[in-house]
Amino acid sequence: MNIRYRIEQVGELPPALATALGIFVLALIVLVVWGLIRLPDHTRLRSPEARERARRRKESRRRQKKLRARRESLQRKARRR
């Protein structure tokens, strides 16, 4: 039973039944897409404490990145001398 045989089977249906089947399939696709869109965003931090921790972590990473860049710059200068 390959796909061509199944498509031919649908083609042999009466027009009203084929239309109803098409509408049903489209409605099913729309419902699945709508359901996926309506899923809650799990990446969003809900609690204020979690947001504060994330903010502090971001600032800390930024400071560490600056310090690392400065240290590497000084080491490059020292090697050139």
Side-chain angles (χ1 to χ4, degrees):
M1 261 210 177
N2 58 19
I3 190 125
R4 177 176 285 168
Y5 180 72
R6 289 179 188 244
I7 291 172
E8 288 172 359
Q9 279 182 323
V10 172
E12 293 170 0
L13 289 175
L17 190 56
T19 303
L21 182 63
I23 291 172
F24 176 73
V25 169
L26 282 175
L28 188 64
I29 291 170
V30 167
L31 283 174
V32 167
V33 170
W34 180 77
L36 290 174
I37 289 173
R38 296 287 301 159
L39 281 174
D41 184 10
H42 295 292
T43 60
R44 189 166 158 248
L45 299 174
R46 303 223 182 272
S47 73
E49 296 86 10
R51 283 195 292 270
E52 180 62 26
R53 280 193 312 269
R55 186 187 63 75
R56 284 197 312 262
R57 185 170 50 242
K58 187 176 179 183
E59 289 175 0
S60 173
R61 286 179 181 164
R62 193 178 319 132
R63 280 194 311 271
Q64 291 296 323
K65 186 177 179 183
K66 284 182 182 177
L67 287 171
R68 193 176 307 117
R70 180 170 163 73
R71 187 172 56 242
E72 289 171 358
S73 171
L74 290 172
Q75 287 174 351
R76 281 194 301 269
K77 281 183 184 177
R79 270 187 256 142
R80 277 188 256 158
R81 290 183 182 183

Coordinates of all heavy atoms in Angstrom, one line a residue:
M1 N 0.8 -1.2 0.0 CA 0.0 0.0 0.0 C 0.9 1.2 0.0 O 1.3 1.7 1.0 CB -0.8 0.0 1.3 CG -2.2 -0.5 1.1 SD -3.4 0.3 2.1 CE -4.8 -0.5 1.4
N2 N 1.2 1.7 -1.2 CA 2.0 2.9 -1.2 C 1.1 4.2 -1.3 O -0.1 4.1 -1.3 CB 3.0 2.9 -2.4 CG 2.2 2.7 -3.7 OD1 1.0 3.0 -3.8 ND2 2.9 2.3 -4.7
I3 N 1.8 5.3 -1.3 CA 1.0 6.6 -1.2 C 0.2 6.9 -2.4 O -0.9 7.4 -2.3 CB 2.0 7.7 -0.9 CG1 1.2 9.0 -0.5 CG2 2.9 8.1 -2.0 CD1 1.6 9.6 0.8
R4 N 0.7 6.4 -3.6 CA -0.1 6.7 -4.8 C -1.4 5.9 -4.8 O -2.5 6.5 -5.2 CB 0.7 6.2 -6.0 CG 0.0 6.4 -7.3 CD 0.8 6.0 -8.5 NE 1.7 7.1 -8.7 CZ 2.8 7.0 -9.5 NH1 3.0 5.9 -10.2 NH2 3.6 8.0 -9.7
Y5 N -1.4 4.7 -4.2 CA -2.7 4.0 -4.1 C -3.6 4.7 -3.2 O -4.8 4.8 -3.4 CB -2.3 2.5 -3.6 CG -3.6 1.7 -3.4 CD1 -4.2 1.2 -4.5 CD2 -4.0 1.4 -2.2 CE1 -5.3 0.4 -4.4 CE2 -5.1 0.6 -2.0 CZ -5.8 0.1 -3.1 OH -6.9 -0.7 -2.9
R6 N -3.1 5.2 -2.1 CA -4.0 5.9 -1.1 C -4.6 7.2 -1.7 O -5.7 7.6 -1.5 CB -3.2 6.2 0.2 CG -3.0 5.0 0.9 CD -2.2 5.3 2.2 NE -1.8 4.1 2.8 CZ -2.2 3.7 4.0 NH1 -3.0 4.4 4.7 NH2 -1.8 2.5 4.5
I7 N -3.7 7.9 -2.5 CA -4.2 9.1 -3.2 C -5.3 8.8 -4.2 O -6.3 9.5 -4.3 CB -3.0 9.9 -3.8 CG1 -2.1 10.5 -2.7 CG2 -3.5 11.0 -4.8 CD1 -0.9 11.1 -3.2
E8 N -5.1 7.7 -4.9 CA -6.2 7.3 -5.8 C -7.4 6.9 -5.1 O -8.5 7.2 -5.6 CB -5.7 6.1 -6.7 CG -4.6 6.5 -7.7 CD -4.0 5.3 -8.4 OE1 -4.4 4.2 -8.1 OE2 -3.1 5.5 -9.2
Q9 N -7.3 6.3 -3.9 CA -8.5 6.0 -3.1 C -9.2 7.2 -2.7 O -10.5 7.3 -2.8 CB -8.1 5.2 -1.8 CG -7.8 3.7 -2.0 CD -7.5 3.1 -0.7 OE1 -6.8 3.7 0.1 NE2 -7.9 1.9 -0.5
V10 N -8.5 8.3 -2.3 CA -9.2 9.5 -2.0 C -9.8 10.1 -3.2 O -10.9 10.7 -3.1 CB -8.2 10.5 -1.3 CG1 -8.8 11.9 -1.1 CG2 -7.7 9.9 0.0
G11 N -9.2 10.0 -4.3 CA -9.7 10.6 -5.6 C -11.0 9.9 -6.0 O -11.8 10.5 -6.7
E12 N -11.2 8.7 -5.6 CA -12.4 7.9 -5.9 C -13.6 8.2 -5.0 O -14.7 7.8 -5.3 CB -12.1 6.4 -5.9 CG -11.2 6.0 -7.0 CD -10.7 4.6 -6.8 OE1 -11.1 3.9 -5.9 OE2 -9.9 4.1 -7.7
L13 N -13.4 9.0 -3.9 CA -14.4 9.3 -3.0 C -15.4 10.3 -3.7 O -15.0 11.1 -4.6 CB -13.9 10.0 -1.8 CG -13.1 9.1 -0.8 CD1 -12.5 10.0 0.3 CD2 -13.9 8.1 -0.2
P14 N -16.7 10.3 -3.2 CA -17.6 11.3 -3.7 C -17.1 12.7 -3.3 O -16.5 12.9 -2.3 CB -18.9 11.0 -3.0 CG -18.7 9.6 -2.4 CD -17.3 9.3 -2.3
P15 N -17.4 13.7 -4.2 CA -16.9 15.0 -3.9 C -17.3 15.6 -2.6 O -16.4 16.3 -1.9 CB -17.6 15.9 -5.0 CG -18.0 14.9 -6.1 CD -18.2 13.6 -5.4
A16 N -18.4 15.4 -2.1 CA -18.8 15.9 -0.7 C -18.0 15.3 0.4 O -17.5 16.0 1.3 CB -20.3 15.6 -0.5
L17 N -17.8 14.0 0.3 CA -16.9 13.3 1.3 C -15.5 13.7 1.2 O -14.8 14.0 2.2 CB -17.1 11.8 1.1 CG -16.5 10.9 2.2 CD1 -17.1 11.3 3.5 CD2 -16.7 9.5 1.9
A18 N -15.0 13.9 0.0 CA -13.6 14.4 -0.2 C -13.4 15.8 0.4 O -12.4 16.1 1.0 CB -13.2 14.3 -1.7
T19 N -14.4 16.6 0.1 CA -14.4 18.0 0.7 C -14.4 18.0 2.2 O -13.6 18.7 2.9 CB -15.6 18.8 0.2 OG1 -15.6 18.8 -1.3 CG2 -15.5 20.2 0.7
A20 N -15.3 17.2 2.8 CA -15.3 17.0 4.2 C -14.0 16.5 4.8 O -13.5 17.0 5.8 CB -16.5 16.1 4.6
L21 N -13.4 15.5 4.1 CA -12.2 15.0 4.6 C -11.1 16.1 4.5 O -10.2 16.2 5.4 CB -11.8 13.8 3.7 CG -10.5 13.1 4.1 CD1 -10.6 12.5 5.5 CD2 -10.2 12.0 3.1
G22 N -11.1 16.9 3.4 CA -10.1 17.9 3.3 C -10.2 19.0 4.3 O -9.2 19.4 4.9
I23 N -11.5 19.4 4.6 CA -11.7 20.4 5.7 C -11.3 19.8 7.0 O -10.7 20.5 7.8 CB -13.2 20.8 5.7 CG1 -13.5 21.6 4.4 CG2 -13.5 21.6 6.9 CD1 -14.9 21.9 4.2
F24 N -11.5 18.5 7.3 CA -11.1 17.9 8.5 C -9.6 17.9 8.7 O -9.1 18.3 9.7 CB -11.7 16.5 8.6 CG -11.2 15.8 9.8 CD1 -11.7 16.0 11.1 CD2 -10.2 14.8 9.7 CE1 -11.3 15.4 12.2 CE2 -9.8 14.1 10.8 CZ -10.3 14.4 12.1
V25 N -8.9 17.6 7.6 CA -7.4 17.6 7.7 C -6.9 19.0 7.9 O -6.0 19.2 8.7 CB -6.9 16.9 6.4 CG1 -5.4 17.1 6.3 CG2 -7.2 15.4 6.4
L26 N -7.4 19.9 7.2 CA -7.0 21.3 7.4 C -7.3 21.8 8.8 O -6.4 22.5 9.4 CB -7.7 22.3 6.4 CG -7.1 22.2 4.9 CD1 -8.0 23.1 4.0 CD2 -5.7 22.7 4.9
A27 N -8.4 21.5 9.3 CA -8.8 21.9 10.7 C -7.8 21.2 11.7 O -7.4 21.9 12.7 CB -10.2 21.5 11.0
L28 N -7.4 20.0 11.4 CA -6.5 19.3 12.3 C -5.1 19.9 12.3 O -4.5 20.2 13.3 CB -6.4 17.8 11.9 CG -5.6 16.9 12.8 CD1 -6.3 16.8 14.1 CD2 -5.5 15.5 12.1
I29 N -4.7 20.3 11.1 CA -3.4 21.0 11.0 C -3.4 22.4 11.7 O -2.5 22.7 12.4 CB -3.0 21.2 9.5 CG1 -2.7 19.8 8.9 CG2 -1.8 22.1 9.3 CD1 -2.5 19.8 7.4
V30 N -4.5 23.1 11.5 CA -4.7 24.4 12.2 C -4.7 24.2 13.7 O -4.0 25.0 14.4 CB -5.9 25.1 11.7 CG1 -6.3 26.3 12.6 CG2 -5.8 25.6 10.2
L31 N -5.4 23.2 14.2 CA -5.4 23.0 15.6 C -4.0 22.6 16.2 O -3.7 23.1 17.3 CB -6.4 21.9 16.0 CG -7.9 22.3 15.9 CD1 -8.8 21.1 16.1 CD2 -8.2 23.4 17.0
V32 N -3.3 21.8 15.5 CA -1.9 21.5 15.9 C -1.0 22.7 16.0 O -0.3 22.9 17.0 CB -1.3 20.3 15.0 CG1 0.1 20.2 15.3 CG2 -2.1 19.0 15.3
V33 N -1.1 23.5 14.9 CA -0.2 24.7 14.9 C -0.7 25.7 16.0 O 0.2 26.2 16.7 CB -0.3 25.4 13.5 CG1 0.3 26.8 13.5 CG2 0.3 24.5 12.5
W34 N -2.0 25.9 16.2 CA -2.5 26.8 17.2 C -2.0 26.3 18.6 O -1.6 27.0 19.4 CB -4.0 26.8 17.1 CG -4.6 27.8 18.2 CD1 -4.6 29.1 18.2 CD2 -5.2 27.3 19.4 NE1 -5.3 29.6 19.3 CE2 -5.6 28.5 20.0 CE3 -5.5 26.1 19.9 CZ2 -6.3 28.5 21.3 CZ3 -6.2 26.1 21.1 CH2 -6.6 27.2 21.8
G35 N -2.1 25.0 18.8 CA -1.7 24.4 20.1 C -0.2 24.6 20.3 O 0.2 24.9 21.5
L36 N 0.6 24.5 19.3 CA 2.0 24.7 19.5 C 2.4 26.1 19.8 O 3.3 26.4 20.6 CB 2.8 24.2 18.2 CG 2.8 22.7 18.0 CD1 3.5 22.4 16.7 CD2 3.6 22.0 19.2
I37 N 1.6 27.0 19.1 CA 1.8 28.5 19.4 C 1.4 28.8 20.8 O 2.0 29.7 21.4 CB 1.1 29.3 18.3 CG1 1.7 29.1 17.0 CG2 1.0 30.8 18.7 CD1 1.0 29.8 15.8
R38 N 0.4 28.2 21.3 CA -0.2 28.6 22.6 C 0.6 28.0 23.8 O 0.3 28.2 24.9 CB -1.6 28.1 22.7 CG -2.5 28.8 21.8 CD -2.8 30.2 22.1 NE -3.4 30.3 23.5 CZ -3.4 31.3 24.3 NH1 -2.9 32.4 23.9 NH2 -4.0 31.3 25.4
L39 N 1.6 27.1 23.5 CA 2.4 26.5 24.6 C 3.1 27.6 25.3 O 3.5 28.6 24.8 CB 3.5 25.6 24.0 CG 3.0 24.2 23.6 CD1 4.1 23.5 22.9 CD2 2.5 23.4 24.8
P40 N 3.2 27.5 26.7 CA 3.9 28.5 27.4 C 5.4 28.6 27.1 O 6.0 27.6 26.7 CB 3.7 28.1 28.9 CG 3.3 26.7 28.8 CD 2.7 26.4 27.5
D41 N 6.0 29.8 27.3 CA 7.4 30.0 27.0 C 8.2 29.5 28.2 O 8.2 30.1 29.2 CB 7.7 31.4 26.7 CG 9.1 31.7 26.4 OD1 9.8 30.7 26.1 OD2 9.5 32.9 26.3
H42 N 8.9 28.3 28.0 CA 9.6 27.8 29.2 C 10.9 28.4 29.4 O 11.6 28.2 30.4 CB 9.8 26.3 28.9 CG 8.5 25.5 28.9 ND1 7.7 25.3 30.1 CD2 7.8 24.9 27.9 CE1 6.7 24.6 29.8 NE2 6.7 24.4 28.5
T43 N 11.4 29.3 28.5 CA 12.7 29.9 28.6 C 12.5 31.2 29.4 O 13.5 31.8 29.9 CB 13.2 30.3 27.2 OG1 12.4 31.2 26.6 CG2 13.5 29.1 26.4
R44 N 11.3 31.7 29.7 CA 11.1 32.9 30.4 C 11.2 32.6 31.9 O 10.6 31.7 32.4 CB 9.7 33.5 30.1 CG 9.5 34.8 30.7 CD 8.3 35.5 30.1 NE 7.9 36.5 31.0 CZ 6.8 36.5 31.7 NH1 5.9 35.5 31.5 NH2 6.5 37.4 32.5
L45 N 12.0 33.5 32.6 CA 12.2 33.3 34.1 C 11.0 33.9 34.8 O 10.7 35.1 34.6 CB 13.5 34.0 34.5 CG 14.7 33.4 33.9 CD1 15.9 34.2 34.3 CD2 14.9 31.9 34.3
R46 N 10.3 33.2 35.6 CA 9.1 33.6 36.2 C 9.3 34.3 37.5 O 8.7 35.3 37.8 CB 8.1 32.4 36.4 CG 7.8 31.7 35.1 CD 6.4 31.4 35.0 NE 6.1 30.7 33.8 CZ 5.8 31.2 32.6 NH1 5.8 32.5 32.5 NH2 5.6 30.5 31.5
S47 N 10.2 33.8 38.4 CA 10.3 34.4 39.7 C 11.3 35.5 39.7 O 12.2 35.5 39.0 CB 10.8 33.3 40.7 OG 12.1 33.0 40.5
P48 N 11.0 36.5 40.5 CA 11.9 37.7 40.6 C 13.4 37.3 41.0 O 14.3 37.9 40.6 CB 11.3 38.6 41.7 CG 9.9 38.2 41.8 CD 9.9 36.7 41.4
E49 N 13.4 36.3 41.9 CA 14.8 35.8 42.4 C 15.6 35.2 41.2 O 16.8 35.5 41.0 CB 14.7 34.8 43.5 CG 14.0 35.3 44.7 CD 12.5 35.2 44.7 OE1 11.9 34.6 43.8 OE2 11.9 35.8 45.6
A50 N 14.9 34.5 40.4 CA 15.6 33.9 39.2 C 16.0 34.9 38.2 O 17.1 34.9 37.6 CB 14.6 32.9 38.5
R51 N 15.2 36.0 38.0 CA 15.5 37.1 37.1 C 16.7 37.8 37.7 O 17.7 38.2 36.9 CB 14.4 38.0 36.9 CG 13.3 37.5 36.0 CD 12.4 38.6 35.5 NE 11.5 39.1 36.6 CZ 10.3 38.6 36.9 NH1 9.9 37.6 36.2 NH2 9.6 39.1 37.9
E52 N 16.8 38.0 39.0 CA 17.9 38.7 39.6 C 19.2 37.9 39.5 O 20.2 38.5 39.2 CB 17.6 39.0 41.1 CG 18.7 39.7 41.8 CD 19.0 41.1 41.3 OE1 18.1 41.7 40.7 OE2 20.1 41.6 41.5
R53 N 19.1 36.6 39.7 CA 20.3 35.8 39.6 C 20.8 35.8 38.1 O 22.0 35.9 37.9 CB 19.9 34.3 39.9 CG 19.9 34.0 41.4 CD 19.9 32.5 41.7 NE 18.9 31.8 41.0 CZ 17.7 31.6 41.4 NH1 17.3 32.0 42.5 NH2 16.9 30.8 40.6
A54 N 19.9 35.8 37.2 CA 20.3 35.8 35.8 C 20.9 37.1 35.4 O 21.9 37.2 34.7 CB 19.1 35.6 34.9
R55 N 20.4 38.2 36.0 CA 21.0 39.6 35.7 C 22.4 39.6 36.3 O 23.4 40.1 35.7 CB 20.1 40.6 36.4 CG 20.6 42.1 36.0 CD 19.8 43.1 36.8 NE 19.9 43.0 38.2 CZ 21.0 43.4 38.9 NH1 22.0 43.9 38.2 NH2 21.1 43.3 40.2
R56 N 22.6 39.1 37.6 CA 23.9 39.2 38.2 C 24.9 38.3 37.5 O 26.0 38.6 37.3 CB 23.8 38.7 39.7 CG 23.2 39.8 40.6 CD 23.5 39.4 42.0 NE 23.2 38.1 42.4 CZ 22.1 37.7 43.0 NH1 21.1 38.6 43.3 NH2 21.9 36.4 43.3
R57 N 24.4 37.1 37.0 CA 25.3 36.2 36.2 C 25.7 36.9 34.9 O 26.9 36.8 34.6 CB 24.5 34.9 36.0 CG 25.4 33.9 35.3 CD 24.6 32.5 35.2 NE 23.3 32.6 34.7 CZ 22.2 32.3 35.4 NH1 22.3 31.8 36.7 NH2 21.0 32.4 34.9
K58 N 24.8 37.6 34.3 CA 25.2 38.3 33.0 C 26.2 39.4 33.3 O 27.2 39.5 32.5 CB 23.9 38.9 32.4 CG 24.0 39.5 31.1 CD 22.7 39.9 30.6 CE 22.8 40.6 29.2 NZ 21.5 41.1 28.8
E59 N 26.0 40.1 34.3 CA 27.0 41.2 34.7 C 28.3 40.6 35.0 O 29.4 41.1 34.6 CB 26.4 42.0 35.8 CG 25.3 42.9 35.5 CD 24.7 43.7 36.7 OE1 25.3 43.5 37.8 OE2 23.8 44.4 36.5
S60 N 28.3 39.5 35.8 CA 29.6 38.9 36.1 C 30.3 38.4 34.9 O 31.5 38.5 34.8 CB 29.3 37.7 37.1 OG 30.4 37.0 37.4
R61 N 29.6 37.8 34.0 CA 30.2 37.3 32.8 C 30.8 38.4 32.0 O 31.9 38.3 31.4 CB 29.2 36.5 31.9 CG 28.9 35.2 32.5 CD 27.9 34.4 31.6 NE 27.6 33.1 32.2 CZ 26.6 32.4 31.8 NH1 25.8 32.8 30.9 NH2 26.4 31.2 32.4
R62 N 30.1 39.6 31.9 CA 30.6 40.7 31.2 C 31.9 41.2 31.9 O 32.9 41.6 31.2 CB 29.5 41.8 31.2 CG 29.9 42.9 30.2 CD 28.8 44.0 30.2 NE 27.4 43.5 30.2 CZ 26.5 43.9 31.0 NH1 26.7 45.0 31.8 NH2 25.3 43.4 31.0
R63 N 31.9 41.3 33.2 CA 33.1 41.8 33.9 C 34.3 40.8 33.7 O 35.4 41.3 33.4 CB 32.9 41.9 35.4 CG 32.1 43.1 35.8 CD 32.2 43.3 37.3 NE 31.9 42.2 38.1 CZ 30.6 41.9 38.5 NH1 29.6 42.6 38.2 NH2 30.4 40.8 39.2
Q64 N 34.0 39.5 33.7 CA 35.1 38.5 33.5 C 35.6 38.6 32.1 O 36.8 38.5 31.9 CB 34.5 37.1 33.8 CG 34.2 36.8 35.2 CD 35.4 36.9 36.1 OE1 36.5 36.5 35.7 NE2 35.3 37.4 37.3
K65 N 34.8 38.9 31.2 CA 35.2 39.0 29.8 C 36.1 40.2 29.6 O 37.2 40.1 28.9 CB 34.0 39.1 28.9 CG 34.3 39.1 27.4 CD 33.0 39.2 26.6 CE 33.3 39.2 25.1 NZ 32.1 39.4 24.3
K66 N 35.8 41.3 30.2 CA 36.6 42.5 30.2 C 38.0 42.3 30.8 O 39.0 42.6 30.3 CB 35.9 43.7 30.9 CG 34.9 44.4 30.1 CD 34.3 45.5 30.8 CE 33.2 46.2 30.0 NZ 32.6 47.3 30.8
L67 N 37.9 41.6 32.0 CA 39.2 41.3 32.7 C 40.1 40.4 31.9 O 41.3 40.6 31.8 CB 38.9 40.7 34.1 CG 38.3 41.6 35.1 CD1 37.9 40.9 36.4 CD2 39.4 42.7 35.5
R68 N 39.5 39.4 31.3 CA 40.2 38.4 30.5 C 40.9 39.1 29.3 O 42.0 38.9 29.0 CB 39.3 37.3 30.0 CG 40.0 36.1 29.4 CD 39.1 35.0 29.0 NE 38.2 34.6 30.2 CZ 36.9 34.7 30.2 NH1 36.2 35.2 29.1 NH2 36.2 34.3 31.2
A69 N 40.1 40.0 28.6 CA 40.6 40.8 27.5 C 41.8 41.7 27.9 O 42.8 41.7 27.2 CB 39.5 41.6 26.8
R70 N 41.6 42.3 29.1 CA 42.7 43.2 29.6 C 44.0 42.4 29.9 O 45.1 42.8 29.5 CB 42.2 44.0 30.8 CG 43.2 44.9 31.4 CD 42.6 45.8 32.4 NE 43.6 46.4 33.3 CZ 44.4 47.4 32.9 NH1 44.3 47.9 31.7 NH2 45.2 47.9 33.8
R71 N 43.8 41.3 30.6 CA 44.9 40.4 30.9 C 45.6 39.9 29.7 O 46.9 39.9 29.6 CB 44.4 39.2 31.8 CG 45.6 38.4 32.3 CD 45.1 37.4 33.3 NE 44.1 36.5 32.8 CZ 42.8 36.4 33.2 NH1 42.4 37.1 34.3 NH2 42.0 35.6 32.7
E72 N 44.9 39.5 28.7 CA 45.5 39.0 27.4 C 46.2 40.1 26.7 O 47.3 39.9 26.1 CB 44.4 38.3 26.5 CG 43.9 37.0 27.1 CD 42.7 36.5 26.3 OE1 42.3 37.2 25.4 OE2 42.3 35.4 26.6
S73 N 45.6 41.3 26.7 CA 46.3 42.4 26.1 C 47.6 42.8 26.8 O 48.6 43.0 26.1 CB 45.3 43.6 26.2 OG 46.0 44.8 25.7
L74 N 47.6 42.7 28.1 CA 48.9 43.0 28.9 C 49.9 41.9 28.6 O 51.1 42.2 28.5 CB 48.6 43.1 30.4 CG 47.8 44.3 30.8 CD1 47.4 44.2 32.3 CD2 48.7 45.6 30.6
Q75 N 49.5 40.7 28.5 CA 50.4 39.6 28.2 C 51.0 39.7 26.8 O 52.2 39.5 26.6 CB 49.7 38.2 28.3 CG 49.4 37.8 29.7 CD 48.6 36.5 29.9 OE1 48.1 36.0 28.9 NE2 48.5 36.0 31.1
R76 N 50.2 40.2 25.8 CA 50.7 40.4 24.5 C 51.7 41.5 24.5 O 52.8 41.4 23.8 CB 49.5 40.7 23.5 CG 48.8 39.5 23.0 CD 47.9 39.8 21.8 NE 46.9 40.9 22.1 CZ 45.7 40.7 22.6 NH1 45.3 39.5 22.8 NH2 44.9 41.7 22.8
K77 N 51.4 42.6 25.2 CA 52.4 43.7 25.3 C 53.7 43.2 25.9 O 54.8 43.6 25.5 CB 51.8 44.8 26.2 CG 50.8 45.7 25.4 CD 50.4 46.8 26.3 CE 49.3 47.7 25.7 NZ 48.9 48.7 26.6
A78 N 53.6 42.4 27.0 CA 54.8 41.9 27.7 C 55.6 41.0 26.8 O 56.9 41.0 26.8 CB 54.4 41.2 28.9
R79 N 55.0 40.2 25.9 CA 55.7 39.4 25.0 C 56.4 40.1 23.9 O 57.5 39.7 23.5 CB 54.7 38.4 24.3 CG 54.6 37.1 25.2 CD 53.8 36.1 24.4 NE 52.4 36.1 25.0 CZ 51.3 36.0 24.4 NH1 51.2 35.8 23.1 NH2 50.2 36.0 25.1
R80 N 55.8 41.3 23.5 CA 56.5 42.1 22.5 C 57.7 42.7 23.0 O 58.6 43.1 22.2 CB 55.5 43.1 22.0 CG 54.5 42.6 20.9 CD 53.7 43.7 20.3 NE 52.4 43.6 20.9 CZ 51.5 44.6 21.0 NH1 51.8 45.7 20.5 NH2 50.3 44.4 21.6
R81 N 57.8 43.0 24.2 CA 59.0 43.7 24.8 C 60.2 42.8 24.9 O 60.4 41.7 24.9 CB 58.7 44.3 26.1 CG 57.7 45.4 26.0 CD 57.5 46.0 27.4 NE 56.5 47.0 27.2 CZ 56.1 47.8 28.2 NH1 56.6 47.6 29.4 NH2 55.2 48.7 28.0

